[in-house]
Amino acid sequence: MRVTVSRTALIICAAAAIVATGGANAVVDTADVTYSAAPATSSAPASTAADTASKASPAVGALFSGGNHFCTASVVHSPTGDLLLTAAHCVSGDVSGVTFKPGYHDGLAPYGTWQVTAAVVADGWKSSSDPDLDFAFLKVAQPGPASLESRTGANQLGTNQGFSHTITLTGYPNGAEQPVVCTGTTTQSDTYQQRVACPGFPDGTSGGPWVIDQDPNTGTGTVIGAIGGYQTGGDTPDVSYSAYFDDDIAQLYNSAVS
């Protein structure tokens, strides 16, 4: 989450390894919604937070490069079971050397270390860093016969779900050995932006998933946002933003799984 300039400690900016958007017929849960602009300064209900790995979903983990974690990602359901969701500003260039450690805590990677092989980012983000398109899908290599999703579970991608929800928000602050987890209520902050008041989400939590209907047994549910968007996630660690998940991310998902 952004405190000064960016919520990430590292924004990868080498030669592009991005897959173009496109495709149709996404297998995602959609519903009609009426858009209406609201001021970015609108208030949001208070939330509760706890920085303990025991509360975190195994489908959420940290992205690493050069030995340090710099952003957060989560497993999203796909036919091949090897797809992650994060913020576009976390992976705006070459992803060689980037790895994902789901369930990371205290120096441990209980579900293994997965090599990121490709990033799928919207054209509008690549051309102009449109904050309404600050989301990305990552593909990971399977080191064995079992897929990532089969080991950690996965969130379903939810689109056009509206702006008011109770969510579970998870992210990995830079330098922290455990994720921070928060339950909060989302509100609309702009036409295609949503916000949640959750204390303690500083740099490194970018890409952290916003999950509704989380199953207490599996830790997975439906993901309707990821920390990013307005000011790459916000200008305070106590309020987080996300681009609204609508048809744009559905099309990007189709491109990622095609």
Side-chain angles (χ1 to χ4, degrees), residues 112-213:
T113 299
W114 301 74
Q115 181 69 48
V116 175
T117 59
V120 185
V121 180
D123 287 338
W125 175 265
K126 289 186 284 185
S127 63
S128 61
S129 298
D130 184 346
D132 295 338
L133 299 172
D134 191 5
F135 40 71
F137 292 104
L138 305 178
K139 296 183 179 182
V140 296
Q142 297 180 190
S147 70
L148 173 61
E149 184 173 333
S150 70
R151 300 197 61 188
T152 64
N155 295 313
Q156 296 289 330
L157 178 66
T159 64
N160 295 319
Q161 297 289 309
F163 289 90
S164 180
H165 296 279
T166 298
I167 66 165
T168 299
L169 180 63
T170 307
Y172 282 84
N174 286 339
E177 288 298 296
Q178 293 187 31
V180 60
V181 182
C182 171
T183 299
T185 301
T186 63
T187 60
Q188 184 175 7
S189 64
D190 206 342
T191 307
Y192 301 109
Q193 293 286 317
Q194 51 192 338
R195 74 194 292 271
V196 64
C198 267
F201 280 75
D203 288 355
T205 59
S206 284
W210 302 30
V211 178
I212 61 173
D213 303 326

Side-chain angles (χ1 to χ4, degrees), residues 60-73:
V60 183
L63 293 174
F64 281 75
S65 180
N68 299 310
H69 62 82
F70 64 93
C71 266
T72 303

Side-chain angles (χ1 to χ4, degrees), residues 54-119:
S54 64
K55 293 180 178 292
S57 167
V60 183
L63 293 174
F64 281 75
S65 180
N68 299 310
H69 62 82
F70 64 93
C71 266
T72 303
S74 59
V75 185
V76 65
H77 173 67
S78 65
T80 53
D82 62 351
L83 198 65
L84 307 179
L85 171 70
T86 190
H89 73 263
C90 290
V91 289
S92 58
D94 185 10
V95 292
S96 60
V98 176
T99 58
F100 174 64
K101 298 183 181 183
Y104 175 79
H105 67 92
D106 303 306
L108 303 175
Y111 302 97
T113 299
W114 301 74
Q115 181 69 48
V116 175
T117 59

